[in-house]
């Protein structure tokens, strides 16, 4: 198990990544952390009662360049439950790049149920081991329309100010 620490404007979050069940997603996040991709990115989608999402937009809410999408590991048996982290993606099954989300409640409807785009699921690849109180603070911020987002965007920036791999 590898760990990643995100320092945010609201506190620190430490993720334990499951490199056994989700080796591709784990390595993907490690490489983005080591490239300083996450520094200065915003939690741009926050829905209390669902999840917080970040890793893709800068402080001007412009999408950051990414590497090519990775394989979706949603069939690994890990579940979208409170505190687990998963790869964000579009409706295309294998479209995940740098964005991730942390479940703030159990979201079992996001788990793998079949092979269609609607049923394939979102690949869980780790869990919060420190800082769930910070996640809960983020989920409680006031949201609305901001930048390119019509809703669910924090009205005051919640940024990742540092990211590191813990050995």
């Amino acid at each position: 198990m590898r760990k990643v620490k995100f320092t945010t404007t609201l506190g620190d979050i430490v993720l334990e990544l499951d490199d056994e069940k989700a080796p591709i997603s784990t390595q993907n996040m490690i490489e983005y952390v080591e490239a300083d991709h996450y520094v200065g990115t915003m939690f741009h989608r926050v829905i209390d009662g669902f999840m917080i999402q970040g890793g893709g937009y800068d402080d001007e809410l412009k999408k950051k360049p990414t590497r090519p999408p990775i394989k979706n590991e949603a069939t690994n048996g890990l579940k979208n439950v409170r505190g687990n982290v998963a790869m964000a993606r579009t409706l295309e099954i294998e479209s995940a790049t740098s964005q991730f989300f942390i479940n703030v409640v159990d979201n079992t409807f996001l788990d793998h149920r079949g092979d269609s785009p609607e049923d394939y699921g979102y690949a869980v690849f780790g869990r919060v081991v420190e800082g769930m109180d910070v996640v809960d603070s983020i989920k409680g911020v006031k949201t609305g329309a901001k930048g390119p987002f019509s809703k669910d965007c924090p009205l005051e920036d919640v940024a990742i100010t540092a990211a590191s791999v813990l050995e």
Side-chain angles (χ1 to χ4, degrees):
M1 299 280 186
R2 312 245 349 237
K3 289 184 180 176
V4 167
K5 178 181 178 181
F6 289 116
T7 299
T8 77
T9 49
L10 294 179
D12 294 344
I13 301 168
V14 177
L15 305 176
E16 182 178 75
L17 308 181
D18 193 329
D19 53 0
E20 184 179 310
K21 290 187 177 177
I24 296 167
S25 301
T26 294
Q27 186 60 33
N28 182 65
M29 177 169 270
I30 298 285
E31 288 175 9
Y32 276 111
V33 168
E34 290 176 340
D36 287 332
H37 173 88
Y38 293 118
V39 176
T41 60
M42 303 293 118
F43 281 95
H44 65 277
R45 188 169 175 232
V46 171
I47 305 172
D48 190 4
F50 183 35
M51 57 89 221
I52 65 172
Q53 182 173 333
Y57 290 85
D58 67 18
D59 61 349
E60 295 179 0
L61 295 176
K62 291 184 179 158
K63 199 168 191 179
K64 290 188 74 170
T66 61
R67 295 190 315 270
I70 60 170
K71 178 175 174 41
N72 187 327
E73 296 176 297
T75 60
N76 65 18
L78 299 174
K79 303 295 181 190
N80 281 283
V81 295
R82 178 174 161 76
N84 278 2
V85 61
M87 293 302 304
R89 65 174 178 87
T90 66
L91 292 178
E92 191 175 318
I93 292 172
E94 295 191 348
S95 59
T97 57
S98 65
Q99 292 186 47
F100 62 92
F101 64 91
I102 299 172
N103 292 283
V104 299
V105 297
D106 292 355
N107 290 311
T108 55
F109 70 96
L110 297 177
D111 294 338
H112 177 75
R113 298 181 314 276
D115 292 333
S116 71
E118 298 81 24
D119 293 334
Y120 202 84
Y122 292 77
V124 172
F125 65 102
R127 64 188 180 96
V128 175
V129 291
E130 292 176 41
M132 199 60 197
D133 58 327
V134 176
V135 172
D136 287 337
S137 293
I138 295 170
K139 78 170 175 135
V141 301
K142 186 172 174 135
T143 60
K146 185 176 175 186
F149 303 105
S150 61
K151 62 179 182 174
D152 303 323
C153 188
L155 297 178
E156 289 189 29
D157 289 350
V158 180
I160 295 173
T161 59
S164 59
V165 177
L166 305 178
E167 297 303 329

